[in-house]
Amino acid sequence: VCITPDGRHIVSGSEDMIVRVWSLDTHKQVCQLTGHSDCVRSICITPDGKRIVSGSWDNSVRIWLLE
């Protein structure tokens, strides 16, 4: 898991191949990002807080816009 630089969201990846964004204010899921075909094993947020980078056991790295 990672916390966005502004402290407003948590980003998580999981075995169900989905990257999820959670609100720290409401404790609810804000969105989910699909595209990996195997477990998501690594998550990172760029220092500017605009992109999520996810790595998967499907041998891919994906870059997502966080808006």
Side-chain angles (χ1 to χ4, degrees):
V1 297
C2 285
I3 298 175
T4 56
D6 63 9
R8 296 179 52 215
H9 296 95
I10 292 176
V11 179
S12 65
S14 67
E15 292 183 359
D16 65 2
M17 303 175 284
I18 298 174
V19 174
R20 290 181 170 83
V21 180
W22 305 87
S23 168
L24 282 172
D25 291 332
T26 66
H27 303 141
K28 294 184 180 181
Q29 182 177 306
V30 175
C31 69
Q32 63 182 32
L33 307 168
T34 58
H36 285 294
S37 60
D38 205 341
C39 303
V40 177
R41 289 297 178 200
S42 58
I43 291 286
C44 183
I45 300 170
T46 57
D48 62 8
K50 294 183 179 183
R51 290 176 186 82
I52 299 166
V53 181
S54 59
S56 170
W57 279 358
D58 65 8
N59 296 315
S60 72
V61 173
R62 295 189 180 264
I63 300 172
W64 316 85
L65 289 177
L66 182 59
E67 299 182 297

